[in-house]
Protein backbone atom coordinates (compact mmCIF):
# COMPACT_ATOMS: atom_id res chain seq x y z
CA UNK A 1 0.00 0.00 0.00
CA UNK A 2 1.21 3.50 -0.85
CA UNK A 3 1.02 5.73 2.19
CA UNK A 4 0.86 8.43 3.28
CA UNK A 5 0.06 10.06 -0.09
CA UNK A 6 0.31 9.86 -3.82
CA UNK A 7 2.15 12.76 -5.37
CA UNK A 8 5.31 14.52 -4.24
CA UNK A 9 6.70 15.89 -1.02
CA UNK A 10 9.33 18.63 -0.88
CA UNK A 11 11.28 19.50 2.20
CA UNK A 12 11.42 23.24 2.71
CA UNK A 13 14.80 24.04 4.24
CA UNK A 14 13.90 26.78 6.67
CA UNK A 15 16.63 29.14 7.83
CA UNK A 16 16.15 28.05 11.42
CA UNK A 17 16.97 24.47 10.40
CA UNK A 18 13.57 22.84 11.01
CA UNK A 19 12.34 20.18 8.62
CA UNK A 20 8.93 20.94 7.21
CA UNK A 21 7.10 19.07 4.49
CA UNK A 22 4.69 20.30 1.85
CA UNK A 23 2.46 17.90 -0.06
CA UNK A 24 2.16 18.90 -3.68
CA UNK A 25 -1.01 17.93 -5.51
CA UNK A 26 -0.96 15.41 -8.28
CA UNK A 27 -0.69 16.94 -11.73
CA UNK A 28 -1.67 15.97 -15.23
CA UNK A 29 0.42 13.58 -17.34
CA UNK A 30 2.00 16.49 -19.20
CA UNK A 31 4.01 17.31 -16.09
CA UNK A 32 3.48 14.02 -14.40
CA UNK A 33 4.56 13.70 -10.79
CA UNK A 34 2.57 10.49 -10.39
CA UNK A 35 3.88 6.98 -11.00
CA UNK A 36 4.19 6.25 -14.71
CA UNK A 37 2.32 3.29 -16.13
CA UNK A 38 4.09 0.10 -15.21
CA UNK A 39 5.49 1.51 -11.96
CA UNK A 40 4.20 1.67 -8.43
CA UNK A 41 6.26 4.28 -6.63
CA UNK A 42 5.81 7.41 -4.62
CA UNK A 43 8.53 9.90 -5.47
CA UNK A 44 9.94 12.38 -2.98
CA UNK A 45 12.12 15.24 -4.19
CA UNK A 46 14.16 17.77 -2.26
CA UNK A 47 14.45 21.49 -2.79
CA UNK A 48 17.75 22.72 -4.19
CA UNK A 49 18.86 23.83 -0.77
CA UNK A 50 18.54 20.40 0.80
CA UNK A 51 21.69 18.74 2.10
CA UNK A 52 23.25 15.87 0.13
CA UNK A 53 23.00 13.86 3.34
CA UNK A 54 19.28 14.51 3.65
CA UNK A 55 16.92 11.73 4.76
CA UNK A 56 15.59 9.06 2.50
CA UNK A 57 14.14 10.37 -0.74
CA UNK A 58 11.76 7.57 -1.61
CA UNK A 59 8.97 5.62 0.07
CA UNK A 60 7.98 2.80 -2.22
CA UNK A 61 5.91 -0.30 -2.25
CA UNK A 62 7.90 -3.48 -1.72
CA UNK A 63 7.06 -4.52 -5.28
CA UNK A 64 9.47 -2.55 -7.44
CA UNK A 65 9.65 -2.73 -11.21
CA UNK A 66 12.48 -0.31 -11.98
CA UNK A 67 15.74 0.72 -10.35
CA UNK A 68 16.26 4.41 -9.68
CA UNK A 69 19.84 5.41 -10.51
CA UNK A 70 19.31 8.68 -8.62
CA UNK A 71 18.40 6.78 -5.46
CA UNK A 72 20.60 8.25 -2.70
CA UNK A 73 23.12 6.06 -0.93
CA UNK A 74 22.53 5.75 2.81
CA UNK A 75 25.27 7.70 4.54
CA UNK A 76 23.82 8.38 7.98
CA UNK A 77 21.59 6.84 10.61
CA UNK A 78 19.20 9.76 10.17
CA UNK A 79 18.33 8.33 6.76
CA UNK A 80 17.23 5.08 8.42
CA UNK A 81 14.95 6.95 10.83
CA UNK A 82 13.55 9.25 8.14
CA UNK A 83 10.71 7.05 6.74
CA UNK A 84 9.18 6.74 10.20
CA UNK A 85 9.60 10.42 11.04
CA UNK A 86 8.07 11.36 7.70
CA UNK A 87 4.89 9.59 8.71
CA UNK A 88 4.08 12.22 11.34
CA UNK A 89 1.13 14.44 10.47
CA UNK A 90 -1.57 16.41 12.31
CA UNK A 91 -4.74 14.52 13.18
CA UNK A 92 -6.75 16.42 10.56
CA UNK A 93 -4.62 14.71 7.93
CA UNK A 94 -4.78 11.17 9.31
CA UNK A 95 -6.06 8.67 6.79
CA UNK A 96 -7.25 5.04 6.76
CA UNK A 97 -5.71 2.40 4.53
CA UNK A 98 -7.29 -1.05 4.23
CA UNK A 99 -5.74 -4.12 2.63
CA UNK A 100 -7.70 -7.29 2.05
CA UNK A 101 -6.84 -10.57 0.39
CA UNK A 102 -9.13 -13.21 -1.02
CA UNK A 103 -8.75 -16.67 -2.51
CA UNK A 104 -9.61 -17.13 -6.19
CA UNK A 105 -11.17 -20.43 -7.25
CA UNK A 106 -12.82 -21.95 -10.31
CA UNK A 107 -16.52 -22.54 -9.82
CA UNK A 108 -16.65 -25.84 -11.65
CA UNK A 109 -14.09 -27.80 -9.61
CA UNK A 110 -12.85 -25.37 -6.92
CA UNK A 111 -9.24 -25.48 -8.14
CA UNK A 112 -6.97 -22.48 -7.65
CA UNK A 113 -6.28 -21.03 -11.11
CA UNK A 114 -2.72 -20.69 -12.32
CA UNK A 115 -1.26 -17.48 -13.65
CA UNK A 116 -1.15 -18.56 -17.30
CA UNK A 117 -4.22 -20.75 -17.81
CA UNK A 118 -7.07 -19.30 -19.93
CA UNK A 119 -9.18 -17.14 -17.64
CA UNK A 120 -6.49 -17.44 -14.98
CA UNK A 121 -4.86 -14.88 -12.74
CA UNK A 122 -3.18 -12.90 -15.52
CA UNK A 123 -6.43 -12.62 -17.43
CA UNK A 124 -8.26 -11.62 -14.28
CA UNK A 125 -5.80 -8.80 -13.67
CA UNK A 126 -5.94 -7.55 -17.24
CA UNK A 127 -9.75 -7.63 -17.24
CA UNK A 128 -9.63 -4.87 -14.61
CA UNK A 129 -8.56 -2.44 -17.35
CA UNK A 130 -12.23 -2.08 -18.27
CA UNK A 131 -12.72 -0.43 -14.87
CA UNK A 132 -9.86 2.03 -15.35
CA UNK A 133 -6.99 0.05 -13.83
CA UNK A 134 -3.51 0.06 -15.45
CA UNK A 135 -1.07 -2.87 -15.51
CA UNK A 136 2.18 -2.99 -13.57
CA UNK A 137 4.86 -5.23 -15.04
CA UNK A 138 7.96 -6.97 -13.74
CA UNK A 139 10.27 -7.99 -16.59
CA UNK A 140 7.36 -7.95 -19.02
CA UNK A 141 5.00 -9.90 -16.76
CA UNK A 142 1.86 -8.25 -15.36
CA UNK A 143 2.03 -8.62 -11.59
CA UNK A 144 -0.41 -5.94 -10.38
CA UNK A 145 -2.87 -3.25 -11.42
CA UNK A 146 -2.92 0.34 -10.23
CA UNK A 147 -5.81 2.80 -10.17
CA UNK A 148 -7.67 5.41 -8.15
CA UNK A 149 -8.65 2.84 -5.52
CA UNK A 150 -5.05 1.82 -4.86
CA UNK A 151 -3.34 -1.32 -6.12
CA UNK A 152 -4.55 -4.82 -6.92
CA UNK A 153 -1.66 -7.22 -6.45
CA UNK A 154 -0.87 -10.91 -6.15
CA UNK A 155 0.18 -12.95 -3.16
CA UNK A 156 2.45 -15.94 -3.85
CA UNK A 157 -0.24 -18.49 -4.81
CA UNK A 158 -2.54 -16.08 -6.60
CA UNK A 159 -4.43 -14.68 -3.63
CA UNK A 160 -5.84 -11.38 -4.88
CA UNK A 161 -5.21 -8.32 -2.72
CA UNK A 162 -6.60 -4.82 -2.82
CA UNK A 163 -4.26 -2.35 -1.12
CA UNK A 164 -6.69 0.51 -0.86
CA UNK A 165 -6.07 4.22 -1.17
CA UNK A 166 -5.59 6.37 1.96
CA UNK A 167 -9.09 7.57 2.78
CA UNK A 168 -10.55 10.08 5.21
CA UNK A 169 -13.34 8.00 6.76
CA UNK A 170 -14.85 4.54 6.99
CA UNK A 171 -17.74 5.38 4.69
CA UNK A 172 -15.20 5.91 1.92
CA UNK A 173 -13.37 2.74 2.92
CA UNK A 174 -16.47 0.58 2.64
CA UNK A 175 -17.44 2.21 -0.68
CA UNK A 176 -13.97 1.42 -2.02
CA UNK A 177 -14.28 -2.19 -0.86
CA UNK A 178 -17.69 -2.46 -2.51
CA UNK A 179 -16.39 -1.11 -5.83
CA UNK A 180 -13.52 -3.57 -5.85
CA UNK A 181 -15.66 -6.60 -5.02
CA UNK A 182 -18.26 -5.60 -7.59
CA UNK A 183 -15.57 -5.37 -10.25
CA UNK A 184 -13.89 -8.71 -9.54
CA UNK A 185 -17.24 -10.46 -9.16
CA UNK A 186 -18.30 -9.16 -12.58
CA UNK A 187 -15.10 -10.56 -14.09
CA UNK A 188 -15.60 -13.81 -12.20
CA UNK A 189 -19.11 -14.24 -13.56
CA UNK A 190 -17.75 -14.13 -17.11
CA UNK A 191 -14.76 -16.38 -16.48
CA UNK A 192 -16.18 -18.95 -14.08
CA UNK A 193 -14.21 -17.66 -11.08
CA UNK A 194 -15.31 -16.79 -7.56
CA UNK A 195 -13.66 -15.40 -4.43
CA UNK A 196 -13.50 -16.80 -0.94
CA UNK A 197 -13.05 -14.74 2.23
CA UNK A 198 -11.25 -17.07 4.65
CA UNK A 199 -7.95 -16.98 6.50
CA UNK A 200 -6.71 -20.31 5.09
CA UNK A 201 -7.31 -22.47 2.05
CA UNK A 202 -9.75 -25.05 3.50
CA UNK A 203 -8.80 -28.00 1.30
CA UNK A 204 -5.69 -27.33 -0.79
CA UNK A 205 -2.29 -28.93 -0.25
CA UNK A 206 0.79 -26.87 -0.99
CA UNK A 207 1.43 -28.99 -4.09
CA UNK A 208 -2.01 -28.14 -5.50
CA UNK A 209 -1.36 -24.40 -5.48
CA UNK A 210 0.20 -22.34 -8.29
CA UNK A 211 3.15 -19.98 -7.85
CA UNK A 212 2.96 -16.43 -9.15
CA UNK A 213 5.84 -15.10 -11.31
CA UNK A 214 7.28 -12.47 -8.96
CA UNK A 215 11.02 -12.33 -8.35
CA UNK A 216 10.90 -11.72 -4.62
CA UNK A 217 8.62 -14.72 -4.11
CA UNK A 218 11.15 -17.09 -5.68
CA UNK A 219 13.72 -15.99 -3.10
CA UNK A 220 11.30 -16.21 -0.18
CA UNK A 221 10.05 -19.66 -1.21
CA UNK A 222 13.62 -20.97 -1.18
CA UNK A 223 14.42 -19.35 2.15
CA UNK A 224 11.31 -20.12 4.21
CA UNK A 225 12.02 -23.83 4.89
CA UNK A 226 15.44 -22.88 6.31
CA UNK A 227 13.94 -20.84 9.16
CA UNK A 228 10.56 -22.42 10.02
CA UNK A 229 8.23 -25.27 9.17
CA UNK A 230 5.15 -23.18 8.29
CA UNK A 231 6.54 -20.31 6.24
CA UNK A 232 5.43 -21.85 2.95
CA UNK A 233 1.91 -22.15 4.35
CA UNK A 234 2.01 -18.46 5.25
CA UNK A 235 2.92 -17.59 1.67
CA UNK A 236 0.72 -20.03 -0.21
CA UNK A 237 -2.30 -20.82 1.93
CA UNK A 238 -3.32 -17.73 3.93
CA UNK A 239 -5.31 -14.53 3.49
CA UNK A 240 -5.63 -11.55 5.81
CA UNK A 241 -7.24 -8.16 6.32
CA UNK A 242 -5.02 -5.30 7.48
CA UNK A 243 -5.50 -1.70 8.49
CA UNK A 244 -2.86 1.01 8.07
CA UNK A 245 -3.04 4.10 10.27
CA UNK A 246 -1.21 7.38 10.84
CA UNK A 247 0.31 9.02 13.90
CA UNK A 248 1.02 12.61 14.96
CA UNK A 249 4.40 12.23 16.64
CA UNK A 250 6.93 9.70 17.89
CA UNK A 251 5.14 9.54 21.25
CA UNK A 252 1.77 9.04 19.54
CA UNK A 253 3.27 6.29 17.38
CA UNK A 254 4.63 4.55 20.48
CA UNK A 255 1.29 4.63 22.32
CA UNK A 256 -0.59 3.35 19.27
CA UNK A 257 2.03 0.66 18.66
CA UNK A 258 1.70 -0.58 22.25
CA UNK A 259 -2.09 -0.63 22.24
CA UNK A 260 -2.09 -2.28 18.82
CA UNK A 261 0.29 -5.03 19.91
CA UNK A 262 -1.42 -5.69 23.24
CA UNK A 263 -4.89 -5.91 21.64
CA UNK A 264 -3.86 -7.66 18.43
CA UNK A 265 -4.89 -11.04 19.92
CA UNK A 266 -8.39 -9.58 20.34
CA UNK A 267 -8.54 -8.83 16.62
CA UNK A 268 -7.29 -12.36 15.95
CA UNK A 269 -10.10 -13.79 18.09
CA UNK A 270 -12.89 -11.62 16.64
CA UNK A 271 -11.80 -12.37 13.06
CA UNK A 272 -10.73 -16.01 13.57
CA UNK A 273 -11.75 -17.70 10.33
CA UNK A 274 -9.32 -20.47 9.43
CA UNK A 275 -10.44 -23.73 11.09
CA UNK A 276 -9.89 -26.14 8.16
CA UNK A 277 -6.74 -27.58 6.63
CA UNK A 278 -6.69 -30.04 3.73
CA UNK A 279 -10.37 -30.86 4.07
CA UNK A 280 -10.82 -31.28 7.82
CA UNK A 281 -10.72 -29.32 11.09
CA UNK A 282 -7.17 -28.40 12.04
CA UNK A 283 -7.61 -27.92 15.79
CA UNK A 284 -7.38 -24.13 15.60
CA UNK A 285 -9.84 -21.30 15.15
CA UNK A 286 -7.17 -19.14 13.51
CA UNK A 287 -4.65 -21.49 11.96
CA UNK A 288 -3.40 -18.49 9.98
CA UNK A 289 -2.35 -16.86 13.24
CA UNK A 290 -0.75 -20.10 14.44
CA UNK A 291 1.31 -20.27 11.24
CA UNK A 292 3.20 -17.13 12.25
CA UNK A 293 4.51 -18.92 15.34
CA UNK A 294 6.74 -21.12 13.14
CA UNK A 295 7.46 -18.99 10.09
CA UNK A 296 10.65 -17.11 10.99
CA UNK A 297 11.40 -16.08 14.58
CA UNK A 298 13.71 -13.28 13.43
CA UNK A 299 10.91 -11.26 11.81
CA UNK A 300 7.65 -12.14 13.60
CA UNK A 301 6.06 -11.87 17.02
CA UNK A 302 4.96 -9.43 19.72
CA UNK A 303 8.13 -7.27 19.90
CA UNK A 304 8.74 -6.93 23.67
CA UNK A 305 11.01 -3.88 23.16
CA UNK A 306 8.00 -1.80 22.07
CA UNK A 307 6.80 -1.81 25.69
CA UNK A 308 10.15 -0.72 27.10
CA UNK A 309 10.76 2.83 28.33
CA UNK A 310 12.17 5.07 25.64
CA UNK A 311 10.81 3.12 22.69
CA UNK A 312 10.76 5.15 19.49
CA UNK A 313 11.97 5.29 15.91
CA UNK A 314 15.61 4.61 16.81
CA UNK A 315 14.78 1.39 18.63
CA UNK A 316 12.69 0.16 15.71
CA UNK A 317 15.60 0.89 13.38
CA UNK A 318 17.81 -1.29 15.60
CA UNK A 319 15.24 -4.09 15.35
CA UNK A 320 15.07 -3.83 11.56
CA UNK A 321 18.86 -3.86 11.27
CA UNK A 322 18.78 -7.21 13.07
CA UNK A 323 16.09 -8.66 10.77
CA UNK A 324 17.86 -10.78 8.14
CA UNK A 325 17.50 -9.62 4.56
CA UNK A 326 15.66 -11.35 1.73
CA UNK A 327 16.83 -9.57 -1.41
CA UNK A 328 18.30 -6.53 -3.13
CA UNK A 329 16.68 -5.07 -6.25
CA UNK A 330 19.07 -4.04 -9.02
CA UNK A 331 18.66 -3.44 -12.75
CA UNK A 332 15.14 -4.86 -12.86
CA UNK A 333 15.84 -8.08 -10.97
CA UNK A 334 15.83 -9.38 -7.43
CA UNK A 335 19.20 -10.57 -6.12
CA UNK A 336 19.07 -13.27 -3.45
CA UNK A 337 20.46 -11.94 -0.16
CA UNK A 338 18.38 -14.19 2.10
CA UNK A 339 19.77 -14.44 5.60
CA UNK A 340 22.37 -11.72 5.06
CA UNK A 341 22.78 -8.65 7.28
CA UNK A 342 21.71 -5.10 6.50
CA UNK A 343 24.40 -3.98 8.94
CA UNK A 344 26.96 -5.63 6.65
CA UNK A 345 25.30 -3.91 3.70
CA UNK A 346 25.82 -0.53 5.41
CA UNK A 347 29.50 -1.41 5.77
CA UNK A 348 29.83 -2.40 2.11
CA UNK A 349 30.28 -6.04 3.06
CA UNK A 350 27.08 -7.67 1.81
CA UNK A 351 28.06 -11.01 0.23
CA UNK A 352 25.37 -10.59 -2.45
CA UNK A 353 26.79 -7.18 -3.51
CA UNK A 354 30.34 -6.88 -2.18
CA UNK A 355 31.66 -3.33 -2.05
CA UNK A 356 28.25 -1.75 -2.67
CA UNK A 357 26.32 0.41 -0.19
CA UNK A 358 22.52 0.39 0.27
CA UNK A 359 20.24 3.04 -1.14
CA UNK A 360 17.12 4.64 0.25
CA UNK A 361 14.94 2.19 -1.65
CA UNK A 362 16.90 -0.79 -0.32
CA UNK A 363 16.02 0.28 3.21
CA UNK A 364 12.37 0.87 2.30
CA UNK A 365 12.25 -2.60 0.73
CA UNK A 366 13.81 -4.07 3.85
CA UNK A 367 11.20 -2.43 6.10
CA UNK A 368 8.55 -4.46 4.26
CA UNK A 369 10.21 -7.82 5.05
CA UNK A 370 9.47 -7.95 8.78
CA UNK A 371 6.14 -9.51 9.80
CA UNK A 372 5.39 -8.70 13.46
CA UNK A 373 1.82 -8.43 14.72
CA UNK A 374 2.06 -4.65 14.23
CA UNK A 375 4.54 -3.20 11.73
CA UNK A 376 6.00 0.30 11.46
CA UNK A 377 6.99 1.94 8.20
CA UNK A 378 5.75 5.51 7.69
CA UNK A 379 2.45 4.33 9.19
CA UNK A 380 1.36 1.52 11.51
CA UNK A 381 -0.02 -1.74 10.11
CA UNK A 382 -2.45 -3.81 12.20
CA UNK A 383 -1.77 -7.39 11.03
CA UNK A 384 -3.66 -9.81 13.30
CA UNK A 385 -6.90 -10.61 11.42
CA UNK A 386 -7.91 -13.51 9.20
CA UNK A 387 -9.48 -12.86 5.83
CA UNK A 388 -13.26 -12.69 5.82
CA UNK A 389 -16.44 -11.57 4.04
CA UNK A 390 -17.33 -8.07 2.91
CA UNK A 391 -18.86 -6.77 6.16
CA UNK A 392 -15.86 -7.85 8.24
CA UNK A 393 -13.48 -6.13 5.81
CA UNK A 394 -15.07 -2.84 6.87
CA UNK A 395 -15.23 -3.89 10.53
CA UNK A 396 -11.48 -4.23 10.99
CA UNK A 397 -10.59 -0.60 10.24
CA UNK A 398 -13.64 0.41 12.29
CA UNK A 399 -12.18 -1.38 15.31
CA UNK A 400 -8.75 0.20 15.03
CA UNK A 401 -9.86 3.67 13.97
CA UNK A 402 -12.25 3.75 16.91
CA UNK A 403 -9.48 2.77 19.31
CA UNK A 404 -6.54 4.73 17.90
CA UNK A 405 -7.88 7.88 16.22
CA UNK A 406 -9.55 9.44 19.26
CA UNK A 407 -7.27 10.34 22.17
CA UNK A 408 -9.86 9.52 24.81
CA UNK A 409 -10.42 6.08 23.34
CA UNK A 410 -6.68 5.49 22.93
CA UNK A 411 -6.03 6.38 26.56
CA UNK A 412 -8.88 4.14 27.73
CA UNK A 413 -7.61 1.21 25.66
CA UNK A 414 -4.09 1.67 26.99
CA UNK A 415 -5.42 1.74 30.55
CA UNK A 416 -6.95 -1.70 29.96
CA UNK A 417 -3.65 -3.30 28.96
CA UNK A 418 -0.82 -1.20 30.38
CA UNK A 419 -0.36 -3.35 33.48
CA UNK A 420 -0.06 -6.64 31.58
CA UNK A 421 3.36 -8.24 31.75
CA UNK A 422 5.17 -9.34 28.63
CA UNK A 423 4.70 -12.95 29.71
CA UNK A 424 0.94 -12.35 29.93
CA UNK A 425 0.88 -10.75 26.46
CA UNK A 426 2.79 -13.66 24.98
CA UNK A 427 0.52 -16.20 26.68
CA UNK A 428 -2.55 -14.48 25.25
CA UNK A 429 -1.01 -14.42 21.78
CA UNK A 430 -0.31 -18.16 22.05
CA UNK A 431 -3.76 -19.10 23.40
CA UNK A 432 -6.00 -17.16 21.03
CA UNK A 433 -5.41 -19.15 17.80
CA UNK A 434 -6.86 -22.22 19.52
CA UNK A 435 -9.33 -20.74 22.01
CA UNK A 436 -10.50 -17.53 20.36
CA UNK A 437 -12.90 -15.60 22.58
CA UNK A 438 -12.57 -18.27 25.30
CA UNK A 439 -8.89 -17.47 25.86
CA UNK A 440 -8.11 -16.25 29.39
CA UNK A 441 -6.88 -12.69 29.77
CA UNK A 442 -4.96 -11.18 32.69
CA UNK A 443 -7.19 -10.46 35.65
CA UNK A 444 -9.20 -13.68 35.53
CA UNK A 445 -11.50 -12.74 32.66
CA UNK A 446 -11.89 -14.14 29.15
CA UNK A 447 -11.26 -12.59 25.77
CA UNK A 448 -15.04 -12.35 25.36
CA UNK A 449 -15.24 -10.11 28.42
CA UNK A 450 -12.42 -7.96 27.09
CA UNK A 451 -14.08 -7.77 23.67
CA UNK A 452 -17.24 -6.26 25.13
CA UNK A 453 -15.26 -3.54 26.86
CA UNK A 454 -12.97 -2.80 23.91
CA UNK A 455 -15.85 -2.59 21.44
CA UNK A 456 -17.55 -0.06 23.68
CA UNK A 457 -14.37 2.04 23.71
CA UNK A 458 -14.10 1.78 19.92
CA UNK A 459 -17.74 2.78 19.53
CA UNK A 460 -17.13 5.84 21.66
CA UNK A 461 -14.05 6.74 19.63
CA UNK A 462 -15.94 6.53 16.35
CA UNK A 463 -18.84 8.54 17.73
CA UNK A 464 -16.42 11.23 18.88
CA UNK A 465 -14.89 11.43 15.38
CA UNK A 466 -18.35 12.28 14.06
CA UNK A 467 -17.59 11.42 10.44
CA UNK A 468 -21.04 11.34 8.82
CA UNK A 469 -22.25 9.99 5.50
CA UNK A 470 -24.84 11.69 3.30
CA UNK A 471 -27.63 10.16 5.40
CA UNK A 472 -26.22 11.59 8.62
CA UNK A 473 -24.94 8.26 9.95
CA UNK A 474 -21.64 8.16 11.82
CA UNK A 475 -19.10 5.32 11.56
CA UNK A 476 -20.24 3.24 14.54
CA UNK A 477 -22.42 0.97 12.38
CA UNK A 478 -19.32 -0.61 10.87
CA UNK A 479 -18.73 -2.30 14.23
CA UNK A 480 -22.05 -4.17 14.03
CA UNK A 481 -20.56 -7.46 12.70
CA UNK A 482 -18.22 -7.54 15.71
CA UNK A 483 -21.02 -6.77 18.16
CA UNK A 484 -22.94 -9.70 16.64
CA UNK A 485 -19.97 -12.03 17.13
CA UNK A 486 -19.65 -10.98 20.75
CA UNK A 487 -23.41 -11.27 21.35
CA UNK A 488 -23.31 -14.88 20.09
CA UNK A 489 -20.05 -15.64 21.86
CA UNK A 490 -19.04 -17.53 18.73
CA UNK A 491 -16.12 -16.71 16.45
CA UNK A 492 -16.57 -16.98 12.66
CA UNK A 493 -14.44 -20.14 12.76
CA UNK A 494 -16.72 -21.75 15.36
CA UNK A 495 -19.71 -21.00 13.16
CA UNK A 496 -18.01 -22.80 10.24
CA UNK A 497 -17.12 -25.75 12.43
CA UNK A 498 -20.73 -25.97 13.61
CA UNK A 499 -21.92 -26.04 9.98
CA UNK A 500 -19.29 -28.65 9.13
CA UNK A 501 -20.58 -30.95 11.88
CA UNK A 502 -24.27 -30.43 11.06
CA UNK A 503 -25.59 -29.10 7.73
CA UNK A 504 -22.45 -29.87 5.75
CA UNK A 505 -22.14 -33.42 7.12
CA UNK A 506 -18.36 -33.25 7.06
CA UNK A 507 -18.12 -31.92 3.50
CA UNK A 508 -15.68 -29.00 3.68
CA UNK A 509 -16.30 -28.02 0.05
CA UNK A 510 -19.59 -26.56 1.26
CA UNK A 511 -17.49 -23.66 2.53
CA UNK A 512 -17.28 -22.43 -1.07
CA UNK A 513 -20.92 -21.44 -0.69
CA UNK A 514 -19.55 -18.71 1.60
CA UNK A 515 -17.88 -16.97 -1.37
CA UNK A 516 -18.28 -13.23 -1.98
Amino acid sequence: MILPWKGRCRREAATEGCNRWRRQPSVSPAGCHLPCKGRITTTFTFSASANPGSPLTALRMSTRTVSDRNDPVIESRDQLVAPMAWGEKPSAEWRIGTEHEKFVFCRDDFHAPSYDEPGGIRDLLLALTEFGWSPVEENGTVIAMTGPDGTVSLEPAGQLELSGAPLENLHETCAETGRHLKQVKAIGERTGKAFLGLGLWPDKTRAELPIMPKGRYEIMLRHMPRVGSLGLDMMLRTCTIQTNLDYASEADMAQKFRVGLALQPLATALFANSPFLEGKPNGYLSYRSHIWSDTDPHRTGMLPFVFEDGFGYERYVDYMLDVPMYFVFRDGRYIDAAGQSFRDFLAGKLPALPGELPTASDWTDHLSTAFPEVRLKSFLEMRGADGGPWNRICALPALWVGLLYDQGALDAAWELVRHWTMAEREALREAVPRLGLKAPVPGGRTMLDLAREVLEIARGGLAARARLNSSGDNETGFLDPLHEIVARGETPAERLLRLYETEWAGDVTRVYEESF
Side-chain angles (χ1 to χ4, degrees):
M1 178 169 191
I2 304 172
L3 280 180
W5 267 258
K6 293 181 179 178
R8 298 199 303 169
C9 293
R10 175 171 293 151
R11 191 177 76 171
E12 302 174 313
T15 55
E16 62 269 30
C18 66
N19 294 336
R20 295 180 293 142
W21 293 86
R22 177 177 70 237
R23 290 183 192 85
Q24 293 185 327
S26 304
V27 298
S28 64
C32 185
H33 298 159
L34 291 175
C36 298
K37 183 175 179 180
R39 299 179 63 186
I40 305 178
T41 63
T42 302
T43 306
F44 292 82
T45 60
F46 289 110
S47 63
S49 58
N51 281 326
S54 295
L56 295 168
T57 60
L59 292 174
R60 303 169 189 265
M61 283 188 63
S62 56
T63 297
R64 285 205 278 154
T65 59
V66 294
S67 298
D68 184 353
R69 296 191 179 278
N70 296 318
D71 204 4
V73 171
I74 295 176
E75 298 176 319
S76 75
R77 187 176 175 89
D78 287 346
Q79 291 173 277
L80 303 179
V81 173
M84 302 149 206
W86 279 359
E88 296 177 4
K89 56 184 65 69
S91 59
E93 297 179 7
W94 291 351
R95 296 294 181 264
I96 305 162
T98 306
E99 306 181 27
H100 46 95
E101 302 163 358
K102 61 206 72 68
F103 296 113
V104 185
F105 67 93
C106 296
R107 291 180 180 275
D108 57 355
D109 61 3
F110 307 133
H111 86 267
S114 69
Y115 181 83
D116 292 313
E117 70 181 64
I121 298 298
R122 177 185 55 197
D123 292 346
L124 192 160
L125 287 177
L126 289 173
L128 287 167
T129 57
E130 69 184 80
F131 299 104
W133 296 82
S134 299
V136 177
E137 295 184 354
E138 179 181 303
N139 296 322
T141 299
V142 176
I143 57 168
M145 304 293 289
T146 184
D149 282 338
T151 303
V152 177
S153 59
L154 301 177
E155 293 299 301
Q159 305 98 310
L160 198 68
E161 176 181 12
L162 175 68
S163 296
L167 301 172
E168 198 275 334
N169 60 63
L170 293 168
H171 308 294
E172 294 175 354
T173 294
C174 213
E176 173 191 77
T177 299
R179 285 192 298 272
H180 170 68
L181 294 179
K182 182 177 180 180
Q183 291 167 9
V184 297
K185 286 175 67 176
I187 295 167
E189 288 294 330
R190 297 199 305 267
T191 60
K193 305 297 182 297
F195 306 89
L196 189 61
L198 288 177
L200 185 77
W201 268 118
D203 55 353
K204 305 288 187 288
T205 65
R206 292 178 188 170
E208 291 174 322
L209 293 170
I211 304 296
M212 297 298 106
K214 294 179 67 171
R216 64 178 288 167
Y217 292 161
E218 294 178 15
I219 294 169
M220 293 173 68
L221 287 165
R222 287 195 299 269
H223 183 66
M224 284 294 177
R226 302 170 190 157
V227 292
S229 67
L230 298 177
L232 294 179
D233 290 323
M234 179 276 291
M235 294 184 69
L236 302 175
R237 298 207 273 193
T238 65
C239 278
T240 185
I241 310 169
Q242 298 179 12
T243 298
N244 303 327
L245 299 173
D246 289 320
Y247 44 85
S249 64
E250 189 170 22
D252 185 44
M253 178 280 296
Q255 186 180 18
K256 287 173 176 173
F257 208 144
R258 289 165 176 158
V259 170
L261 273 177
L263 290 178
Q264 211 59 218
L266 174 61
T268 300
L270 288 169
F271 289 81
N273 198 33
S274 47
F276 304 117
L277 179 68
E278 297 182 11
K280 58 183 182 296
N282 55 41
Y284 291 83
L285 301 179
S286 178
Y287 193 83
R288 183 208 60 83
S289 181
H290 165 66
I291 281 172
W292 286 112
S293 69
D294 195 8
T295 291
D296 184 344
H298 300 293
R299 65 184 81 240
T300 59
M302 290 288 283
L303 307 187
F305 65 85
V306 171
F307 297 94
E308 295 173 359
D309 290 343
F311 168 70
Y313 303 141
E314 293 271 2
R315 183 63 185 88
Y316 196 80
V317 166
D318 289 336
Y319 162 70
M320 286 305 308
L321 288 174
D322 290 331
V323 170
M325 295 176 64
Y326 277 144
F327 58 81
V328 182
F329 188 81
R330 289 292 184 277
D331 299 321
R333 67 188 184 94
Y334 287 90
I335 299 170
D336 192 340
Q340 297 177 28
S341 166
F342 207 94
R343 293 184 190 274
D344 289 344
F345 202 3
L346 289 168
K349 298 178 180 179
L350 188 72
L353 284 176
E356 189 165 335
L357 296 175
T359 66
S361 294
D362 293 329
W363 178 241
T364 307
D365 285 344
H366 186 58
L367 290 175
S368 74
T369 64
F371 310 121
E373 295 295 288
V374 176
R375 181 165 67 184
L376 173 63
K377 291 192 281 191
S378 57
F379 48 92
L380 286 166
E381 300 179 357
M382 304 293 127
R383 300 172 46 83
D386 284 2
W390 185 353
N391 64 352
R392 288 206 298 278
I393 293 173
C394 303
L396 185 73
L399 173 66
W400 291 116
V401 168
L403 293 175
L404 304 186
Y405 270 13
D406 173 75
Q407 190 61 49
L410 179 59
D411 290 341
W414 177 233
E415 190 60 33
L416 283 179
V417 301
R418 64 191 301 263
H419 299 296
W420 294 358
T421 66
M422 198 63 226
E424 289 171 331
R425 296 184 196 105
E426 294 283 7
L428 189 58
R429 167 67 182 85
E430 184 178 351
V432 160
R434 282 189 183 275
L435 299 178
L437 294 171
K438 298 180 179 67
V441 301
R445 300 187 299 164
T446 67
M447 186 62 84
L448 182 61
D449 299 322
L450 180 66
R452 293 190 184 99
E453 195 165 359
V454 169
L455 286 179
E456 187 59 26
I457 293 172
R459 187 201 64 77
L462 293 176
R465 272 169 51 84
R467 301 300 199 273
L468 308 181
N469 63 14
S470 58
S471 300
D473 301 317
N474 66 20
E475 299 169 307
T476 58
F478 294 111
L479 291 172
D480 287 350
L482 305 184
H483 285 296
E484 292 168 7
I485 289 168
V486 168
R488 293 194 305 268
E490 180 183 61
T491 64
E494 288 168 313
R495 171 184 168 273
L496 294 178
L497 288 168
R498 174 168 50 79
L499 290 171
Y500 175 84
E501 296 291 345
T502 56
E503 295 178 28
W504 298 354
D507 179 9
V508 80
T509 63
R510 293 284 300 277
V511 78
Y512 289 102
E513 298 171 8
E514 302 277 315
S515 63
F516 288 110

